[in-house]
C-alpha cells in the first residue's frame, strides 16, 4: 500500500515537474514570439514612418511645383492683361489724336465756311449791282435794237416779220438737207449691221437645229423567206398579185431577186399599205383575192389611225395647240410624202424649229412662226384641186380651217407666189430654203454630195504622212490625222494650209471648209 502511494506520489511529482517544464518552455517560446512580433511591429512602424516621410516630401514637392506653375500662369495672365491695357491705352491715345485732328479740321472748315459765306454775300451784293446795270443796258439795247430794225426796214424795204419768215424757211431747208444726209448715213450703217446680224441669226439657227435626213425612194423591198411564199403571193395564173395590185394601187415586181419582192409606186402611203398587207397575209398564210381585199381594207383603216396619231404627236412635240383635226391628219400624211427625196414631215418639223429660233432672235412671236413653218407645205398632201400650186392650196386649206391671217399669208407666200404682208412670211421662206439646201437633204444633190466628200478625203490622203481622213459636218470640216513620226508640228501647220489651198483651187463646195490636222504622240507599255 505504501509502495502504491509512493508510486502515485512520484507520478504526480513527475507530472508536476513535466507540466512546470512545459509551461516554462511555453512561456519562453511565447516570449520569443512576442519579441519577434514586437520587433517586426517596430520595423513596420519604422517603414511606415519612412514611407510617410517620403510621401510628405513628395506632396510638398508637388505642392511647390503646382505653386510655381500657378504662379507662372498668373504672371503670364498678368503680363497679357498689362499688354492689352497698354495696347488699349495706345488705341485710346490714337483715337484722342484723331478726334483732336478732326476737331481742328472742323474748326478750320467752319472758319473757311464763314469766310465763304462772307465772300458769297459780297458776290451777291456785287451781282445785284451788276444786275441793275445789266437791266439798264438791256433797256438801252432794246431801244437801240428798235431803232436799228426801223433803219433796216427802211433800207431793205421789208418788214421784220417778213425777214423772220424768210430766215425760218432758209433754216428749214438747211435742216431738211442735214436730216436727209443723217438719214442716208443711218440707213447705210443699218444695212451693214443688218447684214451682220442676219448672218449671225442664220448661223445660230443652223447650229441649234440638227435634224436627221430621211431619203424616201419610189421602191420598197419586202423580204420573204422562200420561193414557195413568192409563188403563193403570185397565186394561180397570177390572180393573187393582180388582186393585190388592184386593191392597193402598187406595182408588185417579182423577179429573180432572192428572198425579196419589190413594191413600186410614187405614193408612199400606197406602198406602206401594200407592205403592211403583205406582211399580214404572209404571217397568216391565207392568201386569196377575198382575203387580200379584207386585209387591205383593214390595213388602210389602221394606217389612217396611225396618220392621225402621228399628226397629234408632231403637234405635241412642237408645242402647237388648237389646230383643226383635218390639218392634224394632213400633217400625219406628210410622214409618207417626200419632196425631192426629202421626207416632208421631217422637213416641215425642221422648218418649224428653225422658224421658231429665228423669230426669237428677231423678237417676233415664235409660236406663230413655228405654226406657219409646220403648215407651209400642207398643200402637198392635199388631194383636192391638184392643179393649184401647193403654196396657194396650203393657204386655202389654212383659211378654210380658220388659221390666223398672218399664218395663211406666210404659207401662200413662201414661194413668192403672192405678196408678203407679214414679217413671218419671209422667215418661213428663208427657213424653207435653209432646210432644203442643207447638204444631203434632197436626192438631186446626194450623189454629187457624196462624191464631193469622198474626193475631199482622197485629196487629203494623197499627202505623205497622212494616216486617216474624215469629212464631217456635212463637208464643212475635214479632219486629217497624221503620223507623229513622219510629220512634225511645223509641218502639220503648213500641211493644213496646203490642203486648204488645194481644196480651194481644185474643188467646188458651198460656204467654207475647215481643215484640221491632228498630230498626237502615243507611248504604250505593258505591265506583266
Amino acid at each position: 500500500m505504501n509502495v502504491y502511494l509512493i508510486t502515485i506520489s512520484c507520478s504526480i511529482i513527475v507530472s508536476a515537474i513535466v507540466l512546470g517544464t512545459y509551461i516554462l518552455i511555453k512561456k519562453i517560446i511565447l516570449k520569443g514570439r512576442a519579441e519577434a512580433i514586437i520587433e517586426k511591429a517596430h520595423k513596420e512602424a519604422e517603414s511606415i514612418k519612412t514611407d510617410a516621410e517620403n510621401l510628405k516630401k513628395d506632396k510638398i514637392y508637388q505642392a511647390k511645383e503646382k505653386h510655381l506653375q500657378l504662379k507662372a500662369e498668373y504672371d503670364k495672365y498678368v503680363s497679357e492683361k498689362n499688354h492689352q491695357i497698354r495696347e488699349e491705352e495706345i488705341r485710346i491715345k490714337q483715337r484722342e489724336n484723331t478726334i483732336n485732328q478732326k476737331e481742328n479740321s472742323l474748326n478750320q472748315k467752319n472758319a473757311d465756311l464763314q469766310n465763304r459765306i462772307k465772300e458769297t454775300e459780297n458776290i451777291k451784293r456785287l451781282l445785284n449791282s451788276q444786275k441793275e446795270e445789266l437791266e439798264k443796258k438791256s433797256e438801252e439795247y432794246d431801244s437801240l435794237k428798235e431803232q436799228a430794225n426801223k433803219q433796216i426796214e427802211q433800207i431793205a424795204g421789208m418788214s421784220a416779220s417778213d425777214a423772220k419768215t424768210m430766215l425760218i424757211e432758209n433754216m428749214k431747208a438747211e435742216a431738211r438737207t442735214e436730216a436727209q444726209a443723217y438719214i442716208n448715213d443711218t440707213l447705210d450703217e443699218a444695212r451693214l449691221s443688218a447684214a451682220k446680224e442676219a448672218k449671225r441669226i442664220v448661223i445660230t439657227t443652223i447650229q441649234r437645229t440638227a435634224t436627221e435626213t430621211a431619203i424616201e425612194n419610189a421602191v420598197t423591198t419586202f423580204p420573204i423567206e422562200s420561193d414557195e411564199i413568192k409563188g403563193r403571193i403570185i397565186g394561180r395564173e397570177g390572180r393573187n398579185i393582180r388582186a393585190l395590185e388592184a386593191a392597193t394601187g402598187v406595182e408588185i415586181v417579182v423577179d429573180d431577186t432572192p428572198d425579196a419582192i419589190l413594191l413600186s409606186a410614187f405614193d408612199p402611203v400606197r406602198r406602206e399599205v401594200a407592205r403592211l398587207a403583205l406582211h399580214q397575209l404572209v404571217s397568216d398564210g391565207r392568201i386569196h383575192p377575198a382575203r387580200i381585199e379584207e386585209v387591205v381594207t383593214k390595213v388602210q383603216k389602221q394606217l389612217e389611225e396611225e396618220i392621225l396619231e402621228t399628226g397629234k404627236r408632231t403637234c405635241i412635240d412642237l408645242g402647237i395647240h388648237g389646230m383643226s383635226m383635218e390639218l392634224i391628219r394632213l400633217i400625219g400624211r406628210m410622214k409618207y410624202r417626200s419632196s425631192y427625196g426629202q421626207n416632208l414631215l421631217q422637213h416641215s418639223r425642221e422648218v418649224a424649229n428653225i422658224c421658231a429660233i429665228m423669230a426669237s432672235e428677231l423678237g417676233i412671236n415664235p409660236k406663230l412662226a413655228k405654226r406657219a413653218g409646220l403648215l407651209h407645205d400642207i398643200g402637198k398632201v392635199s388631194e383636192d384641186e391638184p392643179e393649184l400650186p401647193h403654196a396657194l392650196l396650203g393657204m386655202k386649206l389654212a383659211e378654210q380651217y380658220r388659221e390666223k391671217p398672218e399664218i395663211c399669208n406666210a404659207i401662200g407666200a413662201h414661194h413668192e407666189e403672192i405678196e408678203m404682208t407679214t414679217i413671218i412670211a419671209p422667215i418661213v421662206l428663208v427657213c424653207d430654203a435653209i432646210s432644203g439646201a442643207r447638204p444631203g437633204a434632197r436626192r438631186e444633190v446626194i450623189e454629187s454630195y457624196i462624191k464631193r466628200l469622198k474626193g475631199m478625203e482622197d485629196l487629203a490622203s494623197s499627202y505623205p504622212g497622212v494616216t486617216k481622213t474624215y469629212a464631217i459636218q456635212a463637208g464643212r470640216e475635214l479632219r486629217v490625222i497624221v503620223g507623229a513620226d513622219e510629220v512634225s508640228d511645223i509641218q502639220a501647220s503648213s500641211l493644213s494650209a496646203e490642203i486648204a489651198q488645194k481644196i480651194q483651187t481644185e474643188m467646188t463646195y458651198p460656204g467654207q471648209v475647215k481643215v484640221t490636222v491632228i498630230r498626237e504622240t502615243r507611248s504604250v507599255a505593258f505591265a506583266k
Side-chain angles (χ1 to χ4, degrees):
M1 186 69 179
N2 290 330
V3 173
Y4 179 70
L5 292 172
I6 292 170
T7 303
I8 292 172
S9 300
C10 289
S11 299
I12 291 170
I13 292 168
V14 170
S15 299
I17 292 170
V18 171
L19 181 60
T21 304
Y22 174 75
I23 292 170
L24 182 61
I25 293 169
K26 191 71 173 176
K27 285 183 178 179
I28 292 170
I29 291 170
L30 291 173
K31 184 178 179 182
R33 288 181 178 178
E35 289 178 354
I37 290 170
I38 291 169
E39 184 178 359
K40 184 177 179 181
H42 282 301
K43 288 181 179 180
E44 290 180 354
E46 289 294 333
S47 176
I48 291 170
K49 186 177 180 182
T50 303
D51 292 341
E53 290 293 334
N54 293 333
L55 182 62
K56 181 179 178 182
K57 290 179 181 179
D58 292 339
K59 293 294 183 182
I60 292 171
Y61 179 74
Q62 291 176 2
K64 287 181 179 180
E65 284 186 346
K66 188 68 174 177
H67 174 71
L68 292 174
Q69 182 180 357
L70 293 174
K71 185 178 180 182
E73 292 178 355
Y74 175 75
D75 292 340
K76 182 179 179 181
Y77 174 75
V78 171
S79 175
E80 291 177 353
K81 287 295 182 182
N82 291 332
H83 181 68
Q84 291 177 359
I85 291 169
R86 286 194 295 272
E87 289 182 348
E88 191 66 29
E89 289 176 351
I90 292 170
R91 284 196 294 270
I92 291 171
K93 288 181 180 179
Q94 290 177 350
R95 288 179 182 175
E96 289 178 353
N97 293 332
T98 304
I99 291 170
N100 292 332
Q101 291 177 358
K102 289 183 177 179
E103 185 178 1
N104 294 332
S105 176
L106 288 174
N107 293 332
Q108 183 65 32
K109 289 181 179 179
N110 191 16
D112 293 341
L113 183 60
Q114 294 295 331
N115 294 330
R116 290 182 179 179
I117 290 172
K118 292 179 181 179
E119 292 177 357
T120 304
E121 291 177 352
N122 294 331
I123 292 171
K124 189 176 180 180
R125 286 194 293 269
L126 181 60
L127 288 174
N128 288 332
S129 63
Q130 290 180 353
K131 184 179 179 181
E132 292 176 356
E133 293 179 0
L134 184 61
E135 288 177 352
K136 292 179 181 179
K137 290 182 178 181
S138 178
E139 292 175 357
E140 293 177 359
Y141 172 75
D142 291 338
S143 62
L144 292 173
K145 183 179 178 182
E146 290 179 359
Q147 294 176 5
N149 287 336
K150 290 178 180 179
Q151 292 177 1
I152 291 171
E153 289 176 0
Q154 292 174 359
I155 295 170
M158 183 185 297
S159 64
S161 60
D162 294 337
K164 184 177 180 181
T165 302
M166 182 181 294
L167 180 61
I168 289 172
E169 292 297 329
N170 293 334
M171 291 180 66
K172 283 183 179 179
E174 185 178 355
R176 288 194 191 97
T177 303
E178 292 179 357
Q180 188 62 41
Y182 177 75
I183 290 171
N184 292 335
D185 294 340
T186 305
L187 287 175
D188 292 339
E189 184 179 355
R191 290 190 187 97
L192 293 175
S193 60
K196 293 180 181 179
E197 186 66 14
K199 290 178 182 178
R200 184 191 68 80
I201 291 172
V202 171
I203 291 171
T204 303
T205 303
I206 293 173
Q207 288 176 343
R208 289 174 59 184
T209 305
T211 306
E212 296 180 357
T213 301
I215 298 296
E216 296 288 341
N217 298 312
V219 177
T220 300
T221 302
F222 182 78
I224 56 176
E225 296 179 356
S226 63
D227 290 339
E228 179 187 355
I229 296 176
K230 186 183 295 187
R232 294 173 61 188
I233 292 173
I234 296 172
R236 183 179 299 176
E237 298 178 357
R239 63 175 185 172
N240 290 344
I241 197 169
R242 285 197 302 271
L244 190 58
E245 288 179 343
T248 60
V250 174
E251 182 184 0
I252 301 176
V253 181
V254 181
D255 53 15
D256 296 334
T257 304
D259 301 332
I261 61 175
L262 301 180
L263 308 177
S264 176
F266 71 93
D267 190 343
V269 177
R270 294 180 184 176
R271 291 203 310 274
E272 184 67 11
V273 169
R275 187 187 68 82
L276 294 175
L278 268 176
H279 178 73
Q280 290 193 18
L281 290 169
V282 171
S283 300
D284 184 48
R286 294 178 296 167
I287 306 177
H288 52 81
R291 178 64 177 165
I292 288 171
E293 292 180 0
E294 179 185 349
V295 171
V296 168
T297 303
K298 182 179 178 181
V299 167
Q300 286 175 343
K301 291 181 180 179
Q302 292 176 352
L303 192 60
E304 283 296 324
E305 294 176 358
E306 183 181 347
I307 285 171
L308 188 60
E309 184 63 27
T310 300
K312 291 180 180 179
R313 188 166 57 249
T314 300
C315 292
I316 291 171
D317 292 342
L318 294 175
I320 297 174
H321 308 285
M323 188 174 288
S324 169
M325 292 301 296
E326 185 61 27
L327 288 180
I328 292 175
R329 188 182 69 83
L330 292 175
I331 291 171
R333 286 181 63 86
M334 289 183 182
K335 179 181 178 181
Y336 303 100
R337 175 74 162 81
S338 61
S339 177
Y340 297 100
Q342 186 179 21
N343 183 270
L344 191 59
L345 179 60
Q346 200 73 8
H347 165 67
S348 298
R349 288 174 64 109
E350 183 176 354
V351 171
N353 287 322
I354 296 175
C355 285
I357 296 170
M358 193 171 290
S360 299
E361 292 286 340
L362 295 172
I364 304 169
N365 188 344
K367 292 185 178 180
L368 285 179
K370 184 183 290 186
R371 197 181 188 102
L374 179 63
L375 297 174
H376 80 284
D377 273 345
I378 201 74
K380 289 185 177 181
V381 292
S382 176
E383 298 174 354
D384 301 329
E385 301 185 41
E387 68 277 0
L388 281 177
H390 75 273
L392 299 181
L393 182 56
M395 181 183 69
K396 185 177 179 181
L397 288 170
E399 291 174 348
Q400 179 182 350
Y401 296 109
R402 299 178 182 178
E403 289 294 325
K404 294 184 178 180
E406 50 266 40
I407 294 177
C408 297
N409 179 257
I411 295 172
H414 79 274
H415 284 311
E416 298 182 297
E417 291 169 339
I418 63 171
E419 183 182 358
M420 298 181 183
T421 59
T422 63
I423 191 63
I424 298 177
I427 293 178
V428 174
L429 186 149
V430 171
C431 296
D432 179 39
I434 291 173
S435 176
R438 184 160 46 82
R442 298 193 169 181
R443 189 189 301 120
E444 60 182 357
V445 295
I446 187 66
E447 293 182 0
S448 60
Y449 164 71
I450 294 173
K451 185 178 180 181
R452 177 168 60 85
L453 297 188
K454 187 70 171 64
M456 193 181 299
E457 291 181 350
D458 294 340
L459 185 147
S461 300
S462 63
Y463 284 83
V466 176
T467 58
K468 295 179 181 179
T469 58
Y470 301 102
I472 61 175
Q473 297 291 333
R476 292 190 296 273
E477 182 176 354
L478 178 64
R479 291 192 177 177
V480 181
I481 301 175
V482 299
D485 299 330
E486 302 177 15
V487 180
S488 64
D489 287 338
I490 298 175
Q491 291 173 340
S493 178
S494 62
L495 180 62
S496 63
E498 290 176 10
I499 294 175
Q501 184 63 32
K502 193 168 183 180
I503 291 174
Q504 185 174 346
T505 55
E506 296 184 6
M507 300 189 68
T508 302
Y509 52 92
Q512 63 181 12
V513 178
K514 177 182 177 183
V515 180
T516 304
V517 176
I518 301 173
R519 175 184 179 270
E520 62 176 0
T521 303
R522 294 188 182 185
S523 178
V524 181
F526 297 91
K528 298 181 180 179

